[in-house]
Each structure stands twice: as structure tokens, then as C-alpha cells.
Amino acid sequence: KAGVTQTPRYLIKTRGQQVTLSCSPISGHRSVSWYQQTPGQGLQFLFEYFSETQRNKGNFPGRFSGRQFSNSRSEMNVSTLELGDSALYLCASSLTTTASGANVLTFGAGSRLTVL
Amino acid sequence: GQQLNQSPQSMFIQEGEDVSMNCTSSSIFNTWLWYKQDPGEGPVLLIALYKAGELTSNGRLTAQFGITRKDSFLNISASIPSDVGIYFCAGQRGGGADGLTFGKGTHLIIQP
């Protein structure tokens, strides 16, 4: 079956702009999590969505937001971009929420954002 | 946020050698996971550990969940060129309220 699909794979923005990234989970997976990966901070948890509701949230400013649709597809948005937002944004899906103990996250290839 | 202490940061080994890496934390985790990331790809799950003391194998890979629940290690036996990549440990506390906490990775480089 198809894996986790993220679009776009690469994008370049300038400071102050906003960006929307998309994630299509594995068919049947209802939980989508987002992570930011940078060389300095590594992989950091952004948020998790399940059944169109945000279930968990990491320690990121309010400029980072997301949503999930009824078909489990998810989008994340970053407003007022800063240079430090340059990163690989990874989406991961799982059957249920991580809180249930089903921690087998399947990651997509990521969206690499460069902010100039 | 909290980070796991993963070591070593990088390893240069000869093909055929065994590899060992570990992760430690000051906090208890209920689940330990090991992922591998290749260039241009997302992390891929190698082994999941759910119980303190658990020892689990996946082919040439073996991982253990420390009995204190604050550490885990991953061993790779008889390394081959396709083992090259970055290996991440990840832990999750009960309830999963803060997602997975990742180590900073071990970069494995194999010299033929």
C-alpha cells in the first residue's frame, strides 16, 4: 500500500511569508503527527491530530498550526516565517493516537523548507 | 524540549564489524524505538520496545529496553554497506502527550 505522502518536497520562502504543507497518511491510518528536523535541534514534536482534533502539541509558538480533514489528510501552516524555521518537516501516520500505545509511526519523506 | 543523549555521534567502521550505540535519559520512558534515516528520506522504524528488560531482534539488529527504563541500546552485527545512515533512538512517556522524544542520531559510516 502507498506510504505517507508529503507535498511539496522542497520549497523556498522569504521571511514574513506563510507556508502550508500537506500530508496524506497511509490508507486506514487516522492519526497524523508532525515533526520538525533541524541539524541543531534534531527531531522535535510539533503536534498530533486524530479524528480531525488536535490531541497533543509540542513546544512551538502559535505561528505553527495544523488541521486534519475528515479523510485523515493533514496540513500544517507556518505564518510569519523566520530564518530559523528552515527545516525538514516530517509527517508521520499511525493507526490510532500515540496515547493509546500504538507508537508505530510511519514517516513520510518530508518537506524541506528554506526561508531566505 | 527534552532530548535523549545518544552516543556515539558518529562511527567509522569497517564492513563486517559489529556496531553498538545507545541512548540514555534522565526521565523514564514507557516505550523505546529505533529508527534509521537515509538521505532524502524520512525515518524508518527498525525496532520497537515496550517492556523494561525486553530484548528484541530484527535480522542483524538487536535492541534492548533498559531495566531502569531510562536507556536503550542498539547493536548491528556484521555490518554491510547498506547499513550506512543515521540511526535515531526515540522514547515515549506514558500517555504520549508530548509525542516522541528523539536522540540526535548516530551517523554510521562504513569503510569498504
Side-chain angles (χ1 to χ4, degrees), chain A:
Chain A
K1 53 184 176 181
V4 178
T5 304
Q6 293 189 244
T7 56
R9 288 292 310 273
Y10 304 91
L11 66 168
I12 300 173
K13 293 284 187 178
T14 56
R15 280 181 298 174
Q17 287 187 312
Q18 66 95 26
V19 66
T20 298
L21 308 177
S22 179
C23 172
S24 293
I26 289 173
S27 178
H29 283 195
R30 297 172 61 193
S31 172
V32 173
S33 300
W34 289 89
Y35 287 79
Q36 182 196 63
Q37 185 175 27
T38 60
Q41 298 298 315
L43 281 145
Q44 293 191 293
F45 173 69
L46 280 158
F47 28 64
E48 178 186 13
Y49 286 86
F50 180 79
S51 293
E52 302 177 64
T53 303
Q54 187 181 90
R55 298 297 173 136
N56 302 305
K57 189 177 189 302
N59 189 25
F60 278 81
R63 299 185 297 107
F64 292 82
S65 63
R67 59 178 175 168
Q68 186 180 34
F69 303 95
S70 58
N71 61 359
S72 294
R73 190 177 70 85
S74 177
E75 289 181 347
M76 68 162 283
N77 184 277
V78 188
S79 62
T80 319
L81 284 166
E82 301 176 359
L83 295 179
D85 296 333
S86 293
L88 180 66
Y89 290 89
L90 291 160
C91 165
S93 74
S94 60
L95 280 169
T96 65
T97 65
T98 54
S100 72
N103 301 304
V104 181
L105 297 182
T106 302
F107 284 86
S111 293
R112 183 165 296 281
L113 170 66
T114 301
V115 182
L116 303 176

